[in-house]
Amino acid sequence: MASKLTVQPKTTYPSEMVAPSDGVMGGPDAMRHGPAFGQTGAGHPLESSEKVHFKNQMALEEEAVRSAQGEHAVIRMRVERSITSKLQRLGPLESSFASFDVLLGNDESLSFDDTLNHSSFAERFQDVAAGRTQRLGKF
């Protein structure tokens, strides 16, 4: 029996364009296409743990409150977090979510954002009416 061999044509690229996997050593060219973090998996063993740290802390806190005060206290905590995470200022002003930070206990700690300030809180001239209509999605 004779088997049919098929040849798959190699993808060719124009001379001005370099394929993402055609680096000098055959791997991805990070200088032209950026680092390939998503393709290589977790970079450090603690990286996957740090991604879910906040969620795990909230679950531990809820379990402690549930055992001490009951299910109603956990439901109240969740409702308070939900409401304060959605509070917004009117017009084009960005919300600082200060009440949400108080509930989470972040109001007494200094972080990177507190030191360098967030760009949305920078002083600038704003048209209040235009910002309000843009946020409401009317125009």
Side-chain angles (χ1 to χ4, degrees):
M1 286 194 150
S3 64
K4 279 191 167 181
L5 294 176
T6 59
V7 177
Q8 297 290 334
K10 185 177 179 181
T11 305
T12 58
Y13 295 92
S15 60
E16 65 270 3
M17 183 175 149
V18 178
S21 61
D22 291 344
V24 176
M25 304 301 286
D29 191 355
M31 292 299 287
R32 290 189 183 145
H33 306 288
F37 290 122
Q39 299 170 358
T40 59
H44 193 274
L46 290 177
E47 186 176 354
S48 59
S49 172
E50 287 296 318
K51 287 182 180 179
V52 293
H53 174 72
F54 179 73
K55 183 179 175 182
N56 290 343
Q57 284 298 113
M58 291 296 111
L60 285 173
E61 182 181 343
E62 287 179 359
E63 189 60 37
V65 170
R66 181 179 292 115
S67 64
Q69 299 178 9
E71 186 68 26
H72 69 283
V74 175
I75 293 172
R76 181 177 175 164
M77 285 173 48
R78 287 182 186 168
V79 168
E80 286 177 347
R81 283 190 205 128
S82 174
I83 290 171
T84 57
S85 67
K86 295 176 186 174
L87 287 178
Q88 294 285 320
R89 291 181 180 167
L90 294 176
L93 300 174
E94 296 289 328
S95 179
S96 64
F97 296 106
S99 56
F100 187 62
D101 284 341
V102 169
L103 282 178
L104 297 180
N106 295 336
D107 59 328
E108 296 180 357
S109 63
L110 291 175
S111 66
F112 186 75
D113 292 338
D114 295 327
T115 306
L116 295 179
N117 206 358
H118 197 268
S119 62
S120 65
F121 300 128
E123 293 182 13
R124 61 183 180 267
F125 177 75
Q126 297 176 342
D127 185 9
V128 178
R132 188 178 327 123
T133 55
Q134 182 181 10
R135 180 172 280 182
L136 294 174
K138 294 190 177 187
F139 292 105

